[in-house]
Structures are given as C-alpha cells and as structure tokens.
Amino acid sequence: MTQDMDSLTETNLYQAHIKDGIPQEMRKVPFRNIRDLLSLHSKTSGGKTFLICYDSAGERQALSYAEFNARVHQAANFMVEDLGVQRGDRVATIADNHIDTVLIYFACWVIGAAVAPQNVSEDDRRIAFILRNSEARVCFARAEYLERAAAIISGVDGDEGAPNIEAIVAVGGAPGDSHINFHERMVNRPTTFLGDESGAKSADLPLGDGKAATATLADEALLVYTSGTTGTPKGVVLSQYNLLVDALGISQWQAITGNQRMMCVLPIHHVNGIVVTIIIPLYVGGSTVLNHRFSASRFWERIAREGVNTVSVVPTLLQFLIEYGQAEREAGNTIFGGAISRRDLTHFRHFICGAGTLSVQLAREFCELFGFTLLHGYGLSESTCYSCFLPISLSWEANQSWLLDHGYPSIGCPMEPNEMAIFAADGSGAQLGEGERGEICIRGHNVMQGYFKRPDANAETFKFQWFRSGDEGYFLNDQAGRQFFFITGRIKELINRGGVKFSPFDIEEVLLGIDGVKVGLAIGFPNVYFGDEVGAYVVLEDDAIVEEEVILARCRALMPFEKSPKVVVFGEEIPVTSTGKYQRLKLQELFSRWEHTQFRP
C-alpha cells in the first residue's frame, strides 16, 4: 500500500489508526491471524456447530468448527497446489450467500491471500473494472454466474475485460471440462485438521514453490469496492486485524458471547454480512445461520427454528418486515407469520440496524409493531464495518427516546476500537462542538489500510489525520457525558439552494408522515436560479391516491417554502445499493425538465 502514498499521507494514515494514543500495531486481539482463531475453536470446541446454511432451495447444511476447519484447509490446499495462490495474492468471487463462498473466503485468509468479492447485481462493465483494478489472479464463480463471469473476464462490447484473471473456477453445478471445478478438486484432498478426536494438530500448508508463508494480522484480507453513484469505484483495503478488531468491538458492545447464535440475511459480498454475522460468531466461538437471501415469509420461522438471538439488518428490510407483518395480521395470522407467536421468540434479543437511512417514522412503526429493540448504528467499509451503536444498556424508554425524539434516529456512541468527531464540512480541519453540524470523522484500529491504487483519494481522505466519511452529522451529550451521534445525510447529497444547505433527511421525515406515502425522497436537482432546487420522489402505498398538490401543501405547512419540495415525481422503483442505501443522485435526471424553472411562493 505505501508505495502509492507520499510520506505526508503515510504519516496522516498512521495517525488515523491511533486510538487513545495506542497505534494500530499494538494489537487489541490475542490472535496471530484468522487461521489461529479458527484453529483454537476447532481444537477446543470442534464438535460445536459453527455454520448453518440455507441454500436457494431451502436445503439446510450445518458444519461444526472441526468440519468447517477441515474443509477450509482442503480449499486452501487446492488453491495453493492447483491454482498457485500465494500469500499476498488476491482472489475474486462472483457468487452469492452459500457455504462454499464462506469456505473460499476463509481458505484465502488461511493462506494469507485477500478476497475481492463482487456484487452480482452490478453491471458487467463495473465488475470488469473492479476485477482489473483488484489485480486478482483467480476468480471463483458459482455455476449460475459462470457464463457471465467468463464473458466479463474475456471482455464484451468493446470492454477490455480482466486479462489479469489466470483461471476461472466453477463453484457448484456439474463438473465440466471448460473450467476448473471447485468441488471436483476438493474430493479426497488431504486436510490439516480433522477434529478433536483425531489428536492431529494444524500443520503448515504445503509450501509448493517455496513462496508460501504464514499469514499475519497485517496481511490484506478484503478488497471491497465502494458503491458510490458517481466516479469509479474505490477499493477499500482491510487487513485481517481490521476484521478481527472490529468483530471484537461489536461483540463487546452487543454483549454477544459464545453461547449465542446470529443470523445473516445480508449479502456476504459486503462488510456488514461478512463481519457482523460471520466473523463475530467465529470470534466469540458462537454460531451463525447463513441465508441465501432475505425472505420476509421465512425470516421469523428460521429465527424460531434455529434459536437465533441477534440479526443484522438494513432499514429496507425493516420496511419489508412491517409490510409482511401487517399483511399477516389482516389475514388472521400473527404478525410473525402463521402460528408463530412471541413465545416462540423468547430467545431473540435484538436487531442490529445500520448501513442505510433509518427514518424516525420507520423506527417508530417497526418498534410499535414488533416490540423488539433496535440497536441502531453506523459505519462504513472504510471503518471495516460498524463504528458506533446505541448502547445495549439503555432502557426501552431511553432507546426509544434516542431513536424518536431528536428528528433523526441516533446512531449511538463510538465503540472501543475507534474514536469519532465532527469536523467542519469544508475540509478545513476545524473540529466542532456539541450540536454543530459537520463531517463525521473516525480514527482508530478499525480504519482501513487505504484505498487501493488511489493516492489522490488517500491524500484527501486522511488529510487531517482522521478518516473523513463524507457524511454530515452532529452529536449531543447525555447526562453521563457520552456523545450520541446523528447522521443527517451525505455531504454530496445535501441540497444547496442559493447557498443554504438542507438535509434530505429533514424533508423526508415530513414526506413519510403524509398518509398514503410509502417512500418519499428529497432530491436536489440542478436549477439555474438557485443552483439546487428541492424535488420529491414519491412511491405511494398500494391503492393509495395522493395528489401532488396535497403533498406540496403538507410540506409547506410544516417547512419554509425554500426547504419544501417544489415538484413531485411519482414512481414505483427506487435505486438502492446492495445493502439498501437509497441512491438519490440517480433520480436527479427525472427532474431535468425543471432546470430552468423559477419557483415562487
């Protein structure tokens, strides 16, 4: 990484890794690497279930720690011996939530290689760019994406493809001749550890050509790409230490222990799905249930059947659960579906919620309907995953107050591995006080190692020795002096009307309070008179009829004219990232007809 940074940026990045005067090289975790942690649980709790997976057909498969460790080492040996993967290499995946995908990730980490997971919902050119930029040598593709992967890598429609990919490995499906087959090569492959009863100890991987070596916490583990709506994607470099120290911080904050079970309903090409519901259970010696994808109709039933204690979700999924619960109640069932009652869910503790825009309205509706605690939090890929949460020790009343009483749901207090602060949004480096809006900044042990091959972005992002998030926010102190942070929007999505900046979140709370509005987004669109003007993109509830005049009048009754939407565009679909974040900038073009319109009170 350092070869892409000048000395000033290297110094700034080093400072951005310090927490309470302790630099990142003074490790907060007691393990040498991820393999060391996996080996520990395999030896001490080998028979304990670690990973339960439901595939696309709903078939269930479970692996104990010993079984999982053995299969990980099978995959690692295959990578080293058959593919020539070495420590420091990068391996790409074009896959979805599956037990095989998890095995591939961990096999890379055992070797000391990094994973560059691809989001299959992205367009082919974007995936091709990421594959090229990542400099991955090998690509593992699930059978259903194999033809697409081959086309992307070879280059189609004038795109240069990814000539750096030396081999495509087919995962799942029938063995074939055109590509190396993952499962075919795994058959009868020797393992380094077979379980508690064998008495065997984990041995070093075959050395092959002599270049393999033991991974360290400093080794690159993940190369994930930002899902921004403009510009080329930036590769976020996360080390094995980043993953483990963030898992440590989250597990401590959430009081997650080895006797608990989590469930993953988010895509594991993203840090939320990887860190929260795979790395954390591994870190504490617990277990996890991996779902092929989220399903509202199966969600509560699987929690009940598998004894799940905690689930990580994004706000979009809360909306889906509300709609499902209301429909089930109208059909004469429980809000959890069918005959499942709250008695079947006594083991369930709380929801972890973040990675998207949670409105006060949505938080209120969800909590009133289901009565479960939301531990709202915040983080980015650049801070590994989460950086702050509402404290788990809050009473129900205090939790609800921080969610509902301040105009925005609080994202909580900084957790142990990092610090947070608010700096002037102009990038001047001035740190702000309580209640002042500015840019949310983070420093600590879970801050990334930098953007891959982007010295320009690294210099700007770390220029005053903190990671600059690009999000606007502020903090309030409670009576104990704890700082509770709030996010008010992306700085680039703030609506700058005639020099006065408005947060879209403020306007959206009003839109969501209008009867018949299912989703309402405030969109800042180009306007020759004010620079930006305010528009509303609205999705109505099924069978609802709400006129534009009604929406505009309601907004102007509660907000000044300058801040209120001037026009409404109705639609049925909203562009979102894979983790449910609204992509407001993609909706700007829908308002282009009003670029030369001067709106008057």
Side-chain angles (χ1 to χ4, degrees):
M1 282 300 305
T2 56
Q3 70 273 16
D4 291 329
M5 297 186 196
D6 57 44
S7 58
L8 176 60
T9 304
E10 285 189 8
T11 299
N12 290 343
L13 177 60
Y14 181 86
Q15 294 296 322
H17 284 155
I18 293 176
K19 164 70 191 316
D20 294 332
I22 301 174
Q24 194 179 73
E25 62 262 29
M26 295 179 64
R27 309 301 194 191
K28 292 178 178 288
V29 303
F31 307 104
R32 293 177 298 170
N33 48 40
I34 291 175
R35 182 186 184 188
D36 186 30
L37 173 60
L38 176 59
S39 177
L40 171 67
H41 292 312
S42 300
K43 294 172 183 176
T44 59
S45 307
K48 182 178 181 179
T49 298
F50 167 56
L51 179 63
I52 298 166
C53 181
Y54 285 90
D55 65 18
S56 57
E59 295 295 320
R60 181 184 189 273
Q61 184 179 1
L63 293 177
S64 69
Y65 272 98
E67 292 167 334
F68 180 76
N69 185 52
R71 292 189 60 182
V72 164
H73 279 80
Q74 282 182 307
N77 284 328
F78 160 51
M79 289 184 187
V80 171
E81 294 179 351
D82 292 42
L83 302 176
V85 175
Q86 302 170 9
R87 180 186 174 199
D89 285 343
R90 295 182 192 87
V91 171
T93 59
I94 299 179
D96 46 30
N97 288 14
H98 193 281
I99 203 165
D100 293 337
T101 312
V102 182
L103 290 171
I104 291 166
Y105 288 5
F106 275 83
C108 288
W109 298 335
V110 161
I111 296 167
V115 182
Q118 305 304 303
N119 175 4
V120 296
S121 66
E122 294 282 10
D123 64 83
D124 290 358
R125 287 184 179 275
R126 185 181 176 96
I127 292 177
F129 169 83
I130 294 173
L131 291 176
R132 286 195 305 275
N133 185 261
S134 70
E135 300 178 352
R137 293 183 52 211
V138 176
C139 179
F140 286 81
R142 285 209 64 79
E144 55 266 40
Y145 307 118
L146 190 58
E147 290 185 9
R148 182 186 176 199
I152 290 172
I153 291 167
S154 61
V156 293
D157 298 329
D159 189 88
E160 60 185 294
N164 47 293
I165 299 294
E166 300 169 6
I168 301 175
V169 182
V171 184
D177 298 327
S178 57
H179 299 95
I180 300 172
N181 190 277
F182 179 67
H183 288 288
E184 186 179 26
R185 297 297 181 94
M186 289 269 283
V187 173
N188 297 322
R189 184 165 290 280
T191 62
T192 61
F193 183 68
L194 299 176
D196 288 346
E197 294 77 14
S198 70
K201 296 182 178 180
S202 295
D204 289 334
L205 289 166
L207 293 180
D209 60 5
K211 295 183 181 179
T214 302
T216 71
L217 289 174
D219 281 17
E220 184 182 318
L222 273 178
L223 182 59
V224 291
Y225 281 76
T226 56
S227 55
T229 58
T230 59
T232 57
K234 298 192 293 289
V236 175
V237 179
L238 299 174
S239 67
Q240 294 203 13
Y241 180 64
N242 282 140
L243 301 189
L244 293 184
V245 78
D246 207 54
L248 168 65
I250 298 170
S251 62
Q252 289 177 338
W253 194 275
Q254 303 277 342
I256 297 169
T257 58
N259 62 351
Q260 295 177 32
R261 176 165 291 174
M262 305 188 74
M263 187 164 82
C264 181
V265 293
L266 298 176
I268 60 171
H269 66 256
H270 188 269
V271 291
N272 197 323
I274 295 171
V275 176
V276 178
T277 37
I278 295 179
I279 301 294
I280 287 176
L282 173 73
Y283 193 90
V284 300
S287 58
T288 193
V289 180
L290 176 66
N291 291 269
H292 178 251
R293 60 169 53 94
F294 171 81
S295 168
S297 62
R298 295 175 179 172
F299 182 82
W300 296 109
E301 182 271 334
R302 285 192 180 159
I303 287 177
R305 178 195 300 177
E306 300 292 354
V308 172
N309 305 110
T310 307
V311 178
S312 178
V313 297
V314 295
T316 306
L317 302 191
L318 298 183
Q319 183 65 51
F320 291 154
L321 289 173
I322 290 171
E323 293 172 0
Y324 176 77
Q326 292 171 338
E328 286 294 293
R329 185 167 57 186
E330 291 173 3
N333 300 320
T334 72
I335 57 174
F336 306 109
I340 296 176
S341 70
R342 189 166 293 275
R343 289 191 300 273
D344 301 311
L345 301 168
T346 55
H347 54 274
F348 187 73
R349 300 173 65 223
H350 64 269
F351 284 85
I352 299 171
C353 182
T357 304
L358 177 67
S359 67
V360 169
Q361 180 79 6
L362 179 57
R364 179 182 291 109
E365 289 182 8
F366 185 83
C367 293
E368 287 179 353
L369 182 62
F370 294 109
F372 285 115
T373 298
L374 285 180
L375 288 189
H376 191 217
Y378 167 84
L380 309 96
S381 299
E382 289 91 337
S383 62
T384 303
C385 188
Y386 277 103
S387 296
C388 58
F389 290 103
L390 287 173
I392 195 172
S393 58
L394 293 177
S395 66
W396 172 263
E397 292 75 18
N399 173 276
Q400 292 294 285
S401 177
W402 284 110
L403 283 174
L404 308 178
D405 294 348
H406 299 275
Y408 305 92
S410 172
I411 54 177
C413 309
M415 63 182 196
E416 201 282 329
N418 60 248
E419 303 173 67
M420 295 173 62
I422 303 295
F423 284 77
D426 60 8
S428 63
Q431 191 165 340
L432 305 182
E434 181 180 9
E436 296 183 280
R437 291 195 184 189
E439 186 174 14
I440 299 174
C441 295
I442 303 163
R443 69 179 177 190
H445 287 216
N446 52 358
V447 169
M448 66 172 175
Q449 305 307 301
Y451 292 117
F452 183 58
K453 297 169 63 177
R454 287 295 302 273
D456 57 330
N458 287 321
E460 183 64 24
T461 298
F462 296 105
K463 73 175 186 179
F464 44 86
Q465 302 185 348
W466 291 66
F467 164 69
R468 302 175 60 195
S469 71
D471 289 322
E472 185 197 61
Y474 64 96
F475 69 86
L476 298 175
N477 294 324
D478 72 352
Q479 292 181 342
R482 293 179 296 186
Q483 293 180 336
F484 281 75
F485 282 78
F486 297 82
I487 179 173
T488 56
R490 290 290 294 171
I491 290 174
K492 290 182 180 179
E493 291 182 350
L494 294 179
I495 301 169
N496 188 349
R497 185 184 188 274
V500 179
K501 294 182 180 179
F502 300 118
S503 165
F505 291 5
D506 291 336
I507 303 166
E508 288 163 9
E509 288 291 351
V510 175
L511 291 170
L512 290 171
I514 300 173
D515 290 342
V517 173
K518 180 179 179 181
V519 179
L521 297 183
I523 309 298
F525 62 89
N527 180 267
V528 297
Y529 292 96
F530 293 99
D532 284 349
E533 191 51 277
V534 186
Y537 181 82
V538 171
V539 178
L540 297 177
E541 300 279 3
D542 293 341
D543 301 322
I545 300 176
V546 185
E547 299 295 335
E548 178 184 28
E549 291 75 14
V550 173
I551 294 173
L552 296 180
R554 180 62 176 165
C555 290
R556 291 174 189 176
L558 297 174
M559 295 182 291
F561 174 82
E562 292 77 12
K563 190 174 183 178
S564 298
K566 310 306 184 296
V567 292
V568 178
V569 172
F570 293 95
E572 296 181 355
E573 296 183 355
I574 298 175
V576 296
T577 68
S578 61
T579 55
K581 291 181 181 178
Y582 294 134
Q583 296 179 302
R584 293 174 183 80
L585 298 182
K586 287 189 174 182
L587 296 169
Q588 283 183 332
E589 63 184 31
L590 299 178
F591 297 83
S592 60
R593 74 186 77 169
W594 293 286
E595 182 177 357
H596 296 277
T597 302
Q598 184 177 12
F599 296 93
R600 299 178 182 274

